[in-house]
């Protein structure tokens, strides 16, 4: 079974964390919440779910994980400015491992410079940023491009989860 990091800070879109997290866990994979600091409480922007960071980004070792999932909402903005988060995502990408982001999640991919030459989708508000980062932007429910899986909004979660589970299988 895979060991999967969920990158999280407060302000994430509740369902974009809860649904993939539960699906990956229910499929038998090990799930680890990686936050800005170990033990940090991460609250969803709608207040329906809350998680505690199992690891801080500075403790996250890319070689110990098989995949990284980045829920959207406001959390990616806080994550993308953290050097340790960016180091971790870059290393996971260099190892060719799965990186999945939904909604604003690709903001972290932009900062980690992992979109160049790949196809991706995202929340429409960051579409231009994704294009400027070198991605072939596609307005589709889910886009799989090499090791990346991206989706647009909570409506696309079923397709997002399906492709993540297929990559982890």
């Amino acid at each position: 079974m895979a060991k999967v990091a969920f990158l999280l800070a407060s302000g994430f879109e509740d369902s974009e964390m809860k649904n993939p997290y539960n699906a990956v866990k229910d499929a038998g994979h090990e799930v680890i919440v990686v936050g800005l600091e170990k033990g940090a409480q991460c609250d969803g922007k709608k207040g329906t779910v809350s998680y505690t960071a199992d690891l801080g980004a500075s403790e996250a070792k890319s070689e110990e994980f098989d995949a990284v999932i980045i829920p959207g909402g406001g959390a990616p903005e806080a994550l993308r400015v953290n050097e340790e988060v960016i180091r971790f995502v870059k290393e996971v990408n260099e190892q060719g491992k799965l990186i999945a982001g939904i909604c604003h999640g690709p903001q972290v991919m932009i900062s980690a410079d992992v979109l160049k030459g790949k196809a991706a989708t995202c929340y429409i508000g960051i579409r231009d940023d994704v294009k400027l980062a070198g991605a072939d932007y596609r307005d589709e429910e889910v886009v799989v491009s090499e090791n990346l899986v991206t989706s647009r909004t909570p409506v696309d979660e079923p397709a997002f989860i399906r492709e993540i589970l297929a990559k982890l299988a």
Side-chain angles (χ1 to χ4, degrees), residues 1-37:
M1 289 291 117
K3 185 173 179 180
V4 181
F6 279 81
L7 281 183
L8 214 58
S10 283
F12 62 88
E13 180 64 50
D14 299 40
S15 68
E16 292 174 357
M17 172 60 183
K18 184 178 126 187
N19 296 332
Y21 180 90
N22 290 344
V24 169
K25 192 173 183 176
D26 291 347
H29 302 290
E30 183 181 359
V31 290
I32 304 290
V33 176
V34 176
L36 297 173
E37 291 179 23

Side-chain angles (χ1 to χ4, degrees), residues 52-102:
T52 301
D54 300 305
L55 279 180
S58 63
E59 304 161 290
K61 294 177 174 56
S62 58
E63 62 275 8
E64 294 178 2
F65 290 90
D66 301 297
V68 175
I69 299 174
I70 313 164
E77 192 67 42
L79 293 165
R80 73 185 302 191
V81 297
N82 181 287
E83 289 178 26
E84 290 298 328
V85 168
I86 298 309
R87 170 202 55 81
F88 179 61
V89 173
K90 277 184 181 199
E91 289 174 0
V92 168
N93 186 63
E94 286 163 5
Q95 294 163 23
K97 296 174 181 174
L98 171 64
I99 302 172
I102 186 168

Side-chain angles (χ1 to χ4, degrees), residues 45 74-76 91 94 149 153-154 166:
K45 72 178 189 176
E91 289 174 0
E94 286 163 5
V149 174
T153 67

